[in-house]
Amino acid sequence: MLEYAIIFIVLIALELLFIRLAPRIGFVDIPNSRSSHSAAVARGGGFIIPVVILAYYLIHPMNYY
């Protein structure tokens, strides 16, 4: 159970790091007149989903192939 908590904390830290670095690497969505937001927002936060899947398969290699 502790390994899941550690993985959760690491993944949250990766996501927060990505949100901080997104403007520097150009992953921002600049709003236009039709946007529902008024400030630039980081996009591409869904990259964490494949990371989670990969982490699961590295921890449980024999469960699902």
Side-chain angles (χ1 to χ4, degrees):
M1 191 68 175
L2 180 62
E3 66 187 22
Y4 293 118
I6 292 170
I7 290 172
F8 178 74
I9 291 169
V10 168
L11 292 173
I12 293 294
L14 280 174
E15 190 70 29
L16 291 173
L17 178 69
F18 176 77
I19 290 171
R20 284 184 164 266
L21 293 178
R24 293 184 188 165
I25 57 177
F27 277 94
V28 290
D29 187 20
I30 307 296
N32 58 20
S33 61
R34 296 175 33 161
S35 296
S36 62
H37 55 278
S38 58
V41 216
R43 61 183 162 122
F47 85 94
I48 203 73
I49 295 170
V51 173
V52 169
I53 293 170
L54 180 65
Y56 177 80
Y57 282 118
L58 290 175
I59 292 172
H60 305 289
M62 300 300 268
N63 284 350
Y64 302 104
Y65 282 108

